[in-house]
Amino acid sequence: MSANDVKLRSKSGSIAAYSALVYVVVIFFSILAIIPFWYMFMNATWDTFSIQTGIKLYPNFGNLIGQTKANWDYLANRSTFSFSTGFTNSLIITLSSTALTVYFSALTAYGLSVYDFKGRKTIFTIIVGVMMVPTAVNITGFYRLMNTLGLLGTRWPLILPAIAAPSTVFFIKQYLDTSLSKEIIEAARIDGCGEFRTFNSICLPIMIPALATQGIFSFLGSWNNFFAPSILLTKQELKTLPLMVGMLYGDRYTDYGAINIGLSASVLPIMIAYAFLQRYIIQGVAAGGVKE
């Protein structure tokens, strides 16, 4: 065996060992990410006493259907919980805010990427700076503004602000800078295509991977939002599903089985949506990182 063959085998062995280590690390962290959800789903099949006596990482084989149904019946009979109402409110707010976030953020990013005007870099710097401001800092002023406008206690305070999404603008602009050819825009203008038509007919299809990625993130963030709805939604019939589940902790007697099945019902729709749409995240990140 020649020295080159020995080096090649040694190198191949090192690559195989490194790949195996990477797989082990990825699998380990994947399990860590899955365990809380698995624990929640398993607890949904047990009663409160069993949950309090120890960690349950397996379903209630002895009374799986009966106990799960009992937990759901207890949850459904609570005056502060209505799955259909909470699900409908969450869906309306989430879909509306996601649509506004994706479209207007794409429009803003298009303007910052395509048009060359004075102050463009300053505006983009301000947008990046706003990304660093947490929601809790401006919630008091926003609450007073919504109260002055008479919008407090409605869905609008959770929908309209989605028009301004700095992080989404930042991501889509970075994507456009690497994926959008300015020659296409110039050709459309020469052919007599208006600016909005150019954006809607030519640029939006090019942005689909980025729009899908940010749409998923926006959907998940809006669906799981608990802080803002707990302050802005004062009417019981307008409360979102996570908010209704969170209100169960205020009872004198806390039924942990019912709470876990409520959390499972709240999380399951977005887990299903993410499972079907996760490939768009990979496509969006990969496409945004390649310079053509």
Side-chain angles (χ1 to χ4, degrees):
M1 182 180 297
S2 64
N4 290 334
D5 292 336
V6 174
K7 290 181 179 179
L8 288 174
R9 287 193 174 185
S10 177
K11 187 176 181 179
S12 299
S14 300
I15 294 175
Y18 178 76
S19 300
L21 179 61
V22 170
Y23 279 113
V24 169
V25 172
V26 170
I27 291 173
F28 173 74
F29 282 106
S30 298
I31 293 174
L32 286 182
I34 292 173
I35 284 178
F37 295 98
W38 179 261
Y39 180 61
M40 177 182 64
F41 291 140
M42 295 303 101
N43 280 347
T45 65
W46 291 90
D47 59 277
T48 299
F49 178 76
S50 299
I51 294 173
Q52 291 176 327
T53 55
I55 297 176
K56 298 293 187 296
L57 294 178
Y58 53 91
N60 185 359
F61 293 109
N63 190 21
L64 179 63
I65 298 178
Q67 186 59 52
T68 303
K69 185 178 183 300
N71 290 339
W72 179 259
D73 290 340
Y74 177 87
L75 187 68
N77 291 329
R78 306 305 298 171
S79 59
T80 58
F81 184 88
S82 172
F83 179 79
S84 59
T85 301
F87 182 84
T88 302
N89 291 331
S90 294
L91 195 63
I92 292 174
I93 293 172
T94 300
L95 292 180
S96 302
S97 61
T98 299
L100 292 177
T101 296
V102 170
Y103 183 80
F104 285 97
S105 296
L107 190 62
T108 304
Y110 172 78
L112 292 172
S113 179
V114 172
Y115 297 108
D116 188 10
F117 56 92
K118 187 176 180 179
R120 182 179 64 170
K121 293 184 179 180
T122 303
I123 294 175
F124 184 67
T125 303
I126 294 174
I127 291 175
V128 174
V130 173
M131 291 171 54
M132 311 300 174
V133 180
T135 305
V137 173
N138 56 19
I139 190 63
T140 303
F142 183 73
Y143 179 91
R144 295 180 63 182
L145 175 63
M146 292 297 104
N147 189 33
T148 303
L149 296 176
L151 297 177
L152 198 63
T154 67
R155 300 188 184 101
W156 291 114
L158 298 172
I159 296 175
L160 294 179
I163 294 176
S167 59
T168 307
V169 173
F170 175 80
F171 180 90
I172 297 178
K173 182 184 180 301
Q174 299 305 109
Y175 176 85
L176 288 177
D177 289 342
T178 59
S179 302
L180 180 63
S181 174
K182 302 293 179 63
E183 287 76 11
I184 297 178
I185 307 298
E186 295 297 332
R189 290 170 179 170
I190 293 173
D191 291 338
C193 191
E195 295 299 321
F196 274 100
R197 185 178 178 185
T198 300
F199 171 75
N200 292 320
S201 302
I202 298 176
C203 293
L204 277 183
I206 296 176
M207 292 188 238
I208 285 179
L211 298 181
T213 302
Q214 291 305 303
I216 294 171
F217 289 148
S218 176
F219 185 92
L220 296 178
S222 180
W223 183 277
N224 293 323
N225 189 10
F226 181 85
F227 177 68
S230 65
I231 296 175
L232 299 172
L233 294 179
T234 57
K235 299 178 181 179
Q236 179 63 29
E237 62 271 16
L238 294 179
K239 294 187 182 297
T240 59
L241 192 56
L243 198 58
M244 288 185 175
V245 175
M247 292 174 63
L248 297 174
Y249 287 96
D251 295 342
R252 293 183 178 179
Y253 169 72
T254 301
D255 192 309
Y256 292 103
I259 288 177
N260 278 279
I261 201 170
L263 290 172
S264 301
S266 175
V267 171
L268 196 58
I270 60 177
M271 292 184 67
I272 295 174
Y274 182 81
F276 283 101
L277 300 175
Q278 61 177 331
R279 62 189 182 92
Y280 289 107
I281 297 179
I282 300 174
Q283 291 178 4
V285 173
V290 177
K291 178 69 176 179
E292 296 183 356

